[in-house]
Amino acid sequence: MAAVSGAATGGTPPVAARPPTKRDPLLQRIRSSVWANEHHLWGWGGRISAAAPFVALVLTVLVLAFKAWPAVKVNGAHFLIGTDWKPGSTYGAVTYTNGVPHPLGVSYGAWPVIVGTLESSGIALLIALPISVGAAFALTERLPRWIAEILRYAVEILAGVPSVLIGLWGALTLGPLLANDVYPFIANHVPDVAGFSYLKGPVGHGEGLLTSGIVLALMIIPIIASTTRTLFAQVPPLPKEGGEALGMTDWEVGRRITIPWVRSGIIGATVLGLGRALGETIAVAMVSGSLLATISPNVYGTMGTIAATLVTQLDSAFVDGTGFEVRTLAELAVVLVLVLLVVNILARFIIRRTGNLSVPLGVGV
Amino acid sequence: MSAAFPSSRRRRIANGAFRAATLLALLAVVGPVVWVIAGVVDRAVPHWRWSVLTTNTVGVSGGLENAILGTLVLLLGVLVIAGAVGVLGGVYLAELAGFNRRGKQRGGFLRAATEVLAGVPSIALGLVGYLALVVQFHWGFSLLAALVVLSVMVIPYITRGTETALRQVPTNYREGAEALGMSSGYGLRKVVLRSAMPGIVTSLLIALAISGGETAPLLYTANWFTGAPRAALFHQPIGYLTYPVWTFWDYPSNQAHYLAFDAALILLVIVLLLLVAARIIVNRSQRYAEARRN
């Protein structure tokens, strides 16, 4: 074909036809039939992969539930309301309750760590929400572009820094600083009003509830700030300009127009942040004191959370020859996972109604 | 704007307080980031020895070569497993799931499950990995158990990132590929996926940064190993950088503290490199996209 056309135009000399490359016809047929059906590969690989997270989710719940069921039968309702954590005598005789083997004298009550989880996450939300919304507002003001860039990078790094490093900073730098200089000041100067008694009393050494709350706040700020920033950017300019034309100040535009416009989105982002705070493990284990059967009397005292208990107690749970303590920890994990499923589904539901926003990937404010 | 713009004194004060509060909030976000990084660097640098990079851990002293190599092996494994599953899942949800009778995109349930999985705490995944893989399947503390748990943890991020990147590819590209007579699979690979590459690579880098900094899911699946990583998937624990930080920071020995701080610094450098690489890719692809649009 090439030679013919070359001869017809007359200019170029005819090119010698290349000898056909030798190929194994069978291999060639297999290869071409594979590539001809490439869309099946994408389709089925995609179907299986897209189903993988759902399968993992179901398996996670099932494995924990199966492992925890015997512990549920022994611990009963005391598990949710009890305030003691006694692994029993590991050297004594194995006893049976409802057919489940366990050491003599076990008594597991998770109420203190449940309270600790809720308290520390609540403090984290109280701190993180105003800071995140405020920082997002700072970006909507007429600030130089490089300040916006700095915030973008800061949030990204904050979202990406390993929690063990934030825990290290909280335990070695922030905690001692607060306990030496800040907590005593607060404890000595709060007024003697009934509601403020939690802010009084011994301030400890920097490990405890308030320190955990502050560290948790730092870890959920990226989630709330990035979502709020995106939401603010979606508020149409006309209502805001209208407000300014009526003579409203920036504060009034923010409070009367911007925030009401995206309120449910901010609530959704806050619930997402709550989910992260409830499940955060390593940093809290490093700054809370990781106690098991103690509810802190004030905001400074040492305490524990469910997630921190899981990571700090599993080692010693191996000592229990009947495996009962591991089952109890699985029960604790079931409580945490169920709470988080509810919280996350709730957050999805709120956010879906406002627009399709996702978990911030760590990139992009 | 006249000098007495907010008409009353109260409004002037409220607005000034608002502006000051937003700037303070900005400072409260940026300050701790600088402080955390400076704290890690400040603790590690005074006692830094380069031999940390080339010797293995001995008890609570020695070096961190085993942990660095272990972390790199784990990252590579996560890249392969979570990368393949996550990207394929994202491709399916964005491109192949199709539409139902009412014209709505299918796969909403799987997408919701993916996002809910992202909210499951890593320690719960680690506990399941320990109970199911390490004990029930008799894998022992092993590389594979750690990889499976880490992958399950980061797959939602990769799937989500891939899906978002693919949705930003203009429909014209798909139509163009089809008009040129490409088969659907070929067009997907050569045209659509290629255009979405920056977004996909970014989500992979973010996933690596997250999994490199994880501690809780690894403690009871990978455990800890003071020798160089071995080519074994089962019954062979493996070291990683977060373990010395988490374990050695409150040991009553200066050697252990220095090792923890060194590990923290190396970890920080690895994570920051991954984040910076992701940011550079995003910036470059955005600049390219804007230049093309004009």
Side-chain angles (χ1 to χ4, degrees), chain A residues 38 156 247 250 252 361, chain B residues 11 19 115 130 189 206 279:
Chain A
E38 191 186 344
E156 248 171 54
D250 286 344
E252 286 156 354
L361 289 170
Chain B
R11 291 179 65 209
R19 284 172 166 249
E115 291 185 352
Y130 171 76
R189 179 161 52 90
I206 297 291
R279 174 41 60 187

Side-chain angles (χ1 to χ4, degrees), chain A residues 112-125:
Chain A
V113 289
I114 294 174
V115 170
T117 307
L118 297 178
E119 283 178 340
S120 56
S121 300
I123 293 176
L125 280 190

Side-chain angles (χ1 to χ4, degrees), chain A residues 199-219:
Chain A
L199 292 168
K200 292 187 159 301
V203 296
H205 304 286
E207 288 186 334
L209 184 53
L210 189 51
T211 314
S212 307
I214 294 172
V215 166
L216 279 177
L218 208 55
M219 307 186 73

Side-chain angles (χ1 to χ4, degrees), chain A residues 137 232 235 239-240 242-244 246-263, chain B residues 10-11 14 18:
Chain A
F137 261 126
F232 281 1
V235 177
K240 289 193 283 189
E244 291 195 11
L246 289 172
M248 293 166 94
T249 61
D250 286 344
W251 161 237
E252 286 156 354
V253 169
R255 192 164 66 103
R256 306 270 181 211
I257 296 172
T258 311
I259 288 188
W261 203 282
V262 295
R263 178 174 289 139
Chain B
R10 193 186 59 76
R11 291 179 65 209
F18 168 67

Side-chain angles (χ1 to χ4, degrees), chain B residues 133-135 137-143 145 220-221 233-236:
Chain B
L133 307 178
V134 174
V135 177
F137 289 179
H138 302 288
W139 289 3
F141 292 128
S142 56
L143 176 62
Y220 300 105
T221 51
L233 284 179
F234 303 101
H235 302 291
Q236 174 58 54

Side-chain angles (χ1 to χ4, degrees), chain A residues 87-125:
Chain A
S89 161
T90 344
Y91 303 106
V94 175
T95 37
Y96 288 81
T97 308
N98 296 337
V100 179
H102 61 84
L104 189 64
V106 291
S107 176
Y108 290 113
W111 180 242
V113 289
I114 294 174
V115 170
T117 307
L118 297 178
E119 283 178 340
S120 56
S121 300
I123 293 176
L125 280 190

